[in-house]
Amino acid sequence: MRRSDRFRLTSPAALLPLVFLGVLRPAPVSAEAPTEVAIAEPVQLDGVQVLGKSKPRTVKPATQTYVFEAEEIRRLNVRTVADLFQKVPGAQSHTFGQGDIGHPLRLRGFNGEHGRDVAIVIDGVPQNTPSGSSGGHGNADYSWLTPDMIERIEVVQGPATALAGDQALSGTVFITTRTRAKSSVNVRAGSYGDTQLSSVFGQRVGEVDVLGVAELTRRDGFRANSDYDRVNVFLKGSQAIASGVLSVRASHYSADWSAPGYIPFAAYQAGAFAPTDSLFESDGGRGRKTSLVITHAPAPGNGLTATAYYENIRRSRFGTFGTTPQNEQDDLRNVFGSKAYYTWDFEGRGDLNIGYEYRHDNGVNGQFQTVRRARNGVVSRDYEFDFDAISFYTEGSVRPWQRLKLLGGLRYDIFRQDVFNRLTPTQSGEGSQTIASPHVGLVFEAAEWLELFANYGTGFRSLQVTELSPVSATRPQGFDLTPPQVKARDTGLRLLLGEATVNVSVYTATVADEIQETSPGSNVFANLGNTKRQGYQIDGRYEVMPGLSLTAAYSHVHARVINPAIAGRDRVDSNPRSTISAGVQHTVSAFGGEVLTDFFLQQVGAKPYYTNNVLFETTPYQENNLRVAYERGHSAIAMFGVWRPRDFASDQAGGSFNPQPNFEYGASYRYTF
């Protein structure tokens, strides 16, 4: 067995992109070089719903895809990283209010707790953590990311791309960081002690575009024992070379927080707790992440997209759930890997990507009983591990007829694990699994104003360490199990009616061996068995006039357990039947500058949950978000507010919850040099 003191920092597979990059010669940058360097992670899909002001890309997808460009992102009211996805049609994204434990992102009726069930990729680096101790298997914590760092966000709904693998059950999010920006300083102050100071440094040094972002955030929080502190530093350099753009970025994130815990709903209704109460004053956590990432983006046309990375991650969470003592969920790991694919563009007749991906996780994690954050020697689980994942994939499209495009892809993943179970050594072992994930689709342009699409795709999640090496000595090992898979079908249409765009999709997804947290925040996970989701989504955007646009979306999904272990318990927890959203965006010249107004509301329907096998539903949750900014010359002033009309409603479901205030508000000032 490998041991935690043998962290391996090199691997031939991880270094393959550097072999490619080493033979590329720098090229002089002309005075007419473009003002932004575009580094796109996904295959060139067109027909996407672009929610910023950039033009759509050129290849049509066979599923609903939404793109947010930097212009749109800067207009968002971002209090936490969860707010980056507030305008994705049909999505639900929120924070638990318990620190950086992974924010839920729910797409197409999947639970998405702690960022699971959706693959998150930033500059080619996967953010989902296999067998994470805090937040569970597949959790994705990218709290280090701020709007100043982001150039582009692309959300692909459903398992419709071969460029992402593990956790791509409900969809994939590709995020591209910026390469160039104007230097600025920004200060923000808001309710409940919300303060932030950030700065951006953008400069061209010789032939290199340098971008630096530094940030300090402090929050007291609505509830007692909710204080939060974060330090964030990001530095990136990019240079044009003969074959495209080479970038190197380094970042460090450090956060410490206290956690008020989840209030039992029945006790709250009985008046035992006020909404601002904290249950356990020593609960909380800390997170650290240091990253080094090298990327290569090709010039337009044929070319190589490549990423190589190393990350050191440490995350500890101290939580008390129900009547159990406080536990520390601790995770320390080194992660390194690489990804590369070559694109052939056949000038309107189609395109083809062929590539590979490699990731290695080496570390230790476990759960330990604590008293006021001090371990008392009682251990629930304790693992040392080496995880390897290598993938080969191809993806492309062909246009046999001007109005018809056929798309397809295949991904083949190989997983290898070496696990030392320090609590139950007899359950230690090694194993490997493989899984193939195909997808096919078509896009048919029936008329200039009507596009039809259909898609069949498969996604999967890898096996978590407790499935491979159970804590109990009487349970069988799972090194020979097959990774659970989702099979999804969706059809839809896109209407282009002058200044209006309408998207409609109908989908079905069947999941094998779905895992879900038994109650919010418990970090106790159970296998629900096979589940099925059937739903539809309608969304649209209307450009009323230059500077004024309207958006609206409605989604409906029925998520159920196919063969529930307990008769009648067939609803999937925390998945509302419906979600409604609407927004207004307005820009007008006034007072010698520009006034930018953004209003967005979302209502999430009642969420089901079970207590003692009895079905309950939460109150529907509504949030109204308003931001008004005035920009003139080098200065920008913004005021923002959030109104939740229902008293102390919560956007999470379960027998316990995290109350939120009716109102939050604040203001910011940015000076650009």
Side-chain angles (χ1 to χ4, degrees), residues 196-494:
Q196 184 182 81
L197 177 64
S198 61
S199 63
V200 176
F201 173 79
Q203 185 67 45
R204 190 170 183 83
V205 180
E207 298 179 351
V208 179
D209 285 311
V210 178
L211 174 65
V213 179
E215 174 228 14
L216 297 172
T217 295
R218 164 75 188 179
R219 288 194 294 269
D220 295 332
F222 168 64
R223 299 176 60 195
N225 198 46
S226 294
D227 51 289
Y228 175 89
D229 293 275
R230 182 176 72 210
V231 178
N232 216 346
V233 180
F234 174 96
L235 182 64
K236 183 175 182 178
S238 303
Q239 180 178 356
I241 59 177
S243 59
V245 176
L246 180 66
S247 297
V248 179
R249 69 166 170 88
S251 62
H252 178 73
Y253 145 92
S254 176
D256 292 85
W257 61 86
S258 299
Y262 300 96
I263 295 178
F265 192 69
Y268 172 74
Q269 287 182 311
F273 295 97
T276 56
D277 283 349
S278 169
L279 275 65
F280 308 100
E281 64 178 18
S282 63
D283 282 4
R286 53 182 174 264
R288 310 283 187 272
K289 185 173 186 177
T290 302
S291 303
L292 176 64
V293 181
I294 304 172
T295 63
H296 175 267
N302 303 337
L304 176 73
T305 300
T307 300
Y309 61 91
Y310 166 75
E311 296 188 312
N312 177 264
I313 304 170
R314 177 69 182 267
R315 186 172 294 109
S316 296
R317 181 190 183 190
F318 299 88
T320 309
F321 308 105
T323 59
T324 62
Q326 185 186 74
N327 279 274
E328 177 189 7
Q329 299 153 3
D330 189 44
D331 196 304
L332 168 64
R333 65 181 67 201
N334 285 325
V335 182
F336 60 89
S338 61
K339 180 175 186 175
Y341 62 89
Y342 197 90
T343 300
W344 288 268
D345 184 347
F346 301 116
E347 300 180 352
R349 294 170 296 171
D351 55 21
L352 177 65
N353 289 339
I354 296 179
Y356 88 98
E357 183 172 0
Y358 174 77
R359 171 172 172 154
H360 177 79
D361 288 63
N362 171 238
V364 294
N365 71 26
Q367 182 165 309
F368 311 91
Q369 194 175 112
T370 53
V371 178
R372 300 184 66 82
R373 300 198 181 193
R375 296 183 184 180
N376 64 6
V378 179
V379 180
S380 300
R381 61 177 184 271
D382 191 2
Y383 294 100
E384 298 181 13
F385 55 82
D386 281 286
F387 298 146
D388 288 287
I390 187 165
S391 312
F392 303 95
Y393 55 87
T394 182
E395 183 169 63
S397 67
V398 62
R399 191 185 292 274
W401 178 35
Q402 185 177 5
R403 292 182 176 271
L404 178 65
K405 176 162 286 189
L406 305 178
L407 301 97
L410 176 64
R411 183 182 177 100
Y412 185 75
D413 287 83
I414 305 167
F415 298 96
R416 296 189 179 94
Q417 304 92 5
D418 185 349
V419 178
F420 177 55
N421 189 327
R422 296 197 285 199
L423 185 62
T424 316
T426 56
Q427 292 285 46
S428 303
E430 301 180 20
S432 63
Q433 308 84 36
T434 62
I435 189 167
S437 305
H439 73 88
V440 294
L442 63 86
V443 178
F444 177 59
E445 186 180 339
E448 290 186 0
W449 51 271
L450 175 62
E451 293 178 351
L452 307 175
F453 69 84
N455 180 73
Y456 169 81
T458 58
F460 67 91
R461 68 163 179 85
S462 59
L463 297 172
Q464 62 178 336
V465 69
T466 53
E467 292 175 299
L468 299 165
S469 174
V471 172
S472 172
T474 61
R475 289 183 57 191
Q477 292 185 346
F479 290 100
D480 58 349
L481 294 175
T482 300
Q485 192 172 51
V486 60
K487 298 179 180 179
R489 297 175 175 84
D490 63 302
T491 57
L493 58 86
R494 185 168 187 247

Side-chain angles (χ1 to χ4, degrees), residues 658-670:
N658 177 57
Q660 297 193 63
N662 290 107
F663 293 98
E664 292 183 76
Y665 51 87
S668 66
Y669 173 75
R670 179 183 295 272

Side-chain angles (χ1 to χ4, degrees), residues 535-588:
Y536 61 89
Q537 179 175 307
I538 304 171
D539 65 84
R541 182 181 181 94
Y542 178 47
E543 302 288 342
V544 181
M545 62 179 68
L548 177 61
S549 62
L550 308 175
T551 58
Y554 175 78
S555 65
H556 181 93
V557 61
H558 180 44
R560 63 183 180 87
V561 182
I562 297 175
N563 294 305
I566 299 174
R569 187 168 173 167
D570 63 344
R571 297 284 297 277
V572 177
D573 281 2
S574 302
N575 282 283
R577 289 283 181 90
S578 63
T579 303
I580 303 171
S581 62
V584 179
Q585 189 174 87
H586 184 233
T587 304
V588 62

